[in-house]
C-alpha cells in the first residue's frame, strides 16, 4: 500500500498486475479483482480511470485530462479531489498501485 | 428401472442392505441407505420417477438416515442424517424423517456442487428457455414455482439454479418441493392435481408438506435449458401484480449475493454470473395473486417465442 494522498508529492498510478475482469451494462461497470476475489461496481468516472490506466501509467493531471471535466459538468478542482479519493480507495483495494516520484 | 417400479418389499430390502440404492437425481448420483422404515412409503411416492443406476461409476453422495442410537429408537425417537459417514447436523425428531432427508440432500448439493455456479433459486422452463426465480425465504418462491409447474412450465428445480460454467445452461434438479405453512393450503386450492404428501408439523420451518415433482419433469431431467429470464419475486399480502424491469448491474448484484458459491468459484463465478445476466431479461415481480403472476410470466415466454 502506498502512502496517503498529498498534494506535496506527485504520484504515478498503474493497475496492479492481478487479473481484472470487467463487464459493462448501461454505463455501470463491474470489476472482478482476481487477487482479492472481490467484485466492485464502478461508475462512469471509475470506469474511465481504469480504462486510462490500462493504456499505461498516469499521474493525477493525466487522469484528469482523460476524464474531461467539462463533459462531466464538474468543476475541475472538485473533480481533482474526487479523483484523488477514488485513487486512494482503489489503492486500498489493491486494484491500482501508486508510486511517489520526487 | 425407476424407484416406483420396485415393490415395497424390494425397495425396503435394497435400501437397508449394502450397497444401498443408487439413484439418479438430476446431475447427481445419490447412494441412499435407510436404517428406519418410516420414510419408505413417502420415498416411494415422492421419488417415484427417479431412475436407478446400480452400475453407474461415480457416486456423488453416500447418504443415510438412521436411528440415533439404540435408546432413541424407543424414547423420543430421533433420526440422524449422515453423508459419507459423517453427520453434518444434530439429530432431529424421527417423525421428521423425510424433511430431514431432503434438507440433508440440499446440504450435499450446496457443499459439493462446486463444478457449477449454484444460486438459491427455483427454475422452470418453457420453449427451451429457463425462468430463474431467486428468492429469499418468505419471498414466495416455492409457492410460485409449484404453481408454474402445474400451469405448463417444466420444473427444473425448486431450490437450486445449477448453472454450467462451460455452456451457461441450467441443469435440472427436479426434487420434491417443500411447501411451508399457509402455502400448503394455497397450492391444494390452486392445483388440486398436485400430489402433496403428508404435513410434517413442528419442524424447524413450521409445517412442511412436499409436492411430488411432475413425472414429465423427472423424465426430462437430462435436458438443460438456456437462460431466459431472471425474475426476483416478492409475495406480499394484498400487493398488486407488478413485473418491473431491473437493471443488469442490480440483477448481477442480486445473483452474486444469492449464490451459494459465487466467491468460491472466483473468476469462473464472475464470468458465469455475468454471462447469465447478459442472456436474461431481468425483472422484479411483486404479487399476491398467483393467477395474475402466472399470466405476467407467461407473457414473457410468449413474447420471446
Amino acid at each position: 500500500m502506498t502512502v496517503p494522498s498529498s498534494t506535496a508529492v506527485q504520484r504515478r498510478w498503474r493497475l496492479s498486475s492481478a487479473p481484472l475482469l470487467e463487464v459493462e451494462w448501461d454505463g455501470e461497470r463491474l470489476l472482478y479483482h482476481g487477487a482479492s476475489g472481490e467484485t466492485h461496481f464502478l461508475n462512469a468516472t471509475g470506469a474511465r480511470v481504469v480504462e486510462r490506466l490500462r493504456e499505461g501509467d498516469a499521474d493525477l493531471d493525466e487522469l484528469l485530462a482523460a476524464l474531461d471535466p467539462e463533459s462531466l459538468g464538474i468543476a475541475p478542482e472538485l473533480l481533482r479531489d474526487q479523483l484523488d479519493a477514488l485513487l486512494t480507495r482503489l489503492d486500498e483495494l489493491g486494484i491500482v498501485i501508486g508510486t511517489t516520484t520526487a | 428401472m425407476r424407484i416406483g417400479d420396485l415393490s415395497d418389499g424390494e425397495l425396503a430390502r435394497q435400501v437397508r442392505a449394502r450397497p444401498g440404492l443408487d439413484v439418479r437425481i438430476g446431475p447427481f448420483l445419490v447412494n441412499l441407505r435407510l436404517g428406519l422404515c418410516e420414510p419408505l412409503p413417502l420415498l416411494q411416492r415422492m421419488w417415484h420417477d427417479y431412475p436407478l443406476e446400480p452400475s453407474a461409476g461415480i457416486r456423488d453422495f453416500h447418504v443415510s438416515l438412521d436411528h440415533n442410537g439404540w435408546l432413541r429408537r424407543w424414547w423420543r425417537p430421533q433420526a440422524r442424517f449422515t453423508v459419507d459417514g459423517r453427520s453434518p447436523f444434530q439429530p432431529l425428531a424421527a417423525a421428521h424423517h423425510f424433511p430431514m432427508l431432503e434438507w440433508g440432500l440440499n446440504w450435499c448439493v450446496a457443499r459439493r456442487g462446486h463444478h457449477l455456479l449454484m444460486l438459491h433459486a427455483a427454475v422452470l422452463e418453457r420453449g427451451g428457455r429457463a425462468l430463474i426465480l431467486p428468492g429469499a425465504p418468505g419471498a414466495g418462491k416455492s409457492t410460485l414455482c409449484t404453481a408454474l409447474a402445474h400451469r405448463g412450465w417444466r420444473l427444473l428445480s425448486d431450490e437450486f439454479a445449477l448453472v454450467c460454467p462451460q455452456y451457461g445452461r441450467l441443469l435440472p434438479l427436479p426434487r420434491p418441493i417443500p411447501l411451508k405453512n399457509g402455502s400448503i393450503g394455497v397450492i391444494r386450492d390452486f392445483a388440486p392435481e398436485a400430489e402433496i404428501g403428508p404435513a410434517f408439523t413442528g419442524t424447524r420451518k413450521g409445517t412442511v408438506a412436499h409436492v411430488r415433482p411432475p413425472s414429465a419433469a423427472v423424465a426430462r431431467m437430462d435436458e438443460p435449458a438456456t437462460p431466459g429470464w431472471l425474475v426476483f419475486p416478492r409475495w406480499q399480502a394484498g400487493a398488486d401484480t407488478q413485473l418491473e424491469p431491473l437493471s443488469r448491474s442490480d440483477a448481477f448484484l442480486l445473483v452474486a449475493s444469492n449464490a451459494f458459491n459465487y466467491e468460491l468459484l472466483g473468476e469462473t463465478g464472475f464470468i458465469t454470473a455475468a454471462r447469465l445476466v447478459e442472456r436474461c431479461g431481468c425483472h422484479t415481480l411483486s404479487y399476491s395473486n398467483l393467477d395474475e403472476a402466472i399470466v405476467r410470466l407467461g407473457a414473457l415466454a410468449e413474447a420471446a417465442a
Side-chain angles (χ1 to χ4, degrees):
Chain A
M1 185 172 296
T2 55
V3 293
S5 167
S6 161
T7 54
V9 291
Q10 183 70 301
R11 282 184 290 171
R12 289 195 71 77
W13 298 92
R14 63 181 170 84
L15 289 177
S16 87
S17 56
L20 281 179
L21 304 180
E22 296 173 52
V23 289
E24 184 173 342
W25 294 301
D26 309 320
E28 287 192 304
R29 190 170 298 207
L30 286 155
L31 192 70
Y32 177 80
H33 183 222
S36 65
E38 296 287 338
T39 305
H40 305 285
F41 280 75
L42 299 180
N43 61 14
T45 305
R48 182 69 194 108
V49 167
V50 170
E51 264 175 30
R52 171 61 187 81
L53 292 176
R54 279 197 190 284
E55 295 165 11
D57 299 4
D59 61 22
L60 201 57
D61 291 328
E62 290 165 338
L63 288 169
L64 269 173
L67 286 176
D68 188 6
E70 275 187 29
S71 69
L72 293 170
I74 303 173
E77 281 313 304
L78 180 60
L79 185 60
R80 187 181 190 87
D81 290 346
Q82 289 179 352
L83 182 57
D84 197 39
L86 172 67
L87 288 164
T88 302
R89 182 68 184 134
L90 290 173
D91 186 11
E92 288 168 354
L93 294 170
I95 294 169
V96 302
I97 296 170
T99 51
T100 305
T101 55
Chain B
M1 179 175 272
R2 303 170 309 163
I3 284 191
D5 297 326
L6 297 175
S7 66
D8 294 353
E10 185 59 21
L11 175 62
R13 189 191 69 74
Q14 287 200 26
V15 89
R16 293 179 74 95
R18 288 186 183 279
L21 206 61
D22 286 326
V23 187
R24 170 69 59 190
I25 306 178
F28 303 108
L29 186 75
V30 179
N31 177 263
L32 174 68
R33 294 189 66 205
L34 292 177
L36 1 82
C37 56
E38 289 86 346
L40 281 171
L42 193 53
L43 190 81
Q44 191 147 33
R45 279 177 69 192
M46 292 289 148
W47 288 28
H48 183 275
D49 298 306
Y50 291 148
L52 300 172
E53 294 190 7
S55 59
I58 298 176
R59 293 168 177 157
D60 294 283
F61 323 118
H62 292 77
V63 302
S64 66
L65 201 60
D66 295 290
H67 292 287
N68 183 33
W70 178 83
L71 184 61
R72 286 295 199 174
R73 248 174 221 245
W74 316 108
W75 184 71
R76 292 185 183 176
Q78 284 187 333
R80 178 179 289 278
F81 175 84
T82 59
V83 51
D84 298 337
R86 300 176 69 179
S87 302
F89 319 117
Q90 292 297 312
L92 293 180
H96 298 160
H97 46 78
F98 192 74
M100 190 178 189
L101 177 62
E102 289 291 318
W103 289 328
L105 276 176
N106 287 346
W107 186 90
C108 292
V109 172
R111 293 296 289 261
R112 302 278 184 83
H114 297 311
H115 55 300
L116 305 165
L117 177 67
M118 295 182 284
L119 314 182
H120 184 214
V123 189
L124 300 111
E125 175 265 344
R126 235 171 98 172
R129 301 188 72 195
L131 166 66
I132 305 161
L133 301 168
K141 169 177 68 69
S142 292
T143 314
L144 183 57
C145 172
T146 307
L148 288 162
H150 291 84
R151 290 291 188 277
W153 292 76
R154 172 168 68 111
L155 172 71
L156 267 72
S157 177
D158 167 60
E159 190 71 16
F160 292 95
L162 303 177
V163 190
C164 165
Q166 194 174 4
Y167 301 109
R169 294 181 300 198
L170 279 299
L171 305 185
L173 184 65
R175 294 179 46 212
I177 303 171
L179 297 176
K180 286 141 220 134
N181 305 311
S183 297
I184 301 167
V186 169
I187 292 299
R188 279 195 205 286
D189 293 340
F190 182 84
E193 71 278 21
E195 186 171 346
I196 304 178
F200 294 88
T201 58
T203 79
R204 61 184 182 173
K205 295 187 178 181
T207 299
V208 175
H210 297 82
V211 180
R212 176 176 148 179
S215 296
V218 178
R220 295 176 60 194
M221 67 183 179
D222 290 333
E223 292 179 33
T226 58
W229 308 273
L230 267 163
V231 176
F232 297 84
R234 193 161 75 95
W235 182 89
Q236 196 173 12
D240 291 335
T241 305
Q242 290 186 315
L243 186 67
E244 304 282 354
L246 180 70
S247 74
R248 286 207 157 89
S249 51
D250 284 345
F252 183 96
L253 180 65
L254 290 168
V255 163
S257 61
N258 215 275
F260 290 97
N261 59 346
Y262 170 76
E263 290 181 357
L264 191 103
L265 291 183
E267 280 186 29
T268 300
F270 178 83
I271 293 167
T272 307
R275 286 182 180 159
L276 179 72
V277 171
E278 186 81 47
R279 296 170 73 181
C280 283
C282 303
H283 303 268
T284 58
L285 171 68
S286 301
Y287 77 101
S288 60
N289 183 305
L290 271 178
D291 284 305
E292 288 182 13
I294 287 169
V295 167
R296 294 291 182 89
L297 295 171
L300 286 180
E302 283 151 20

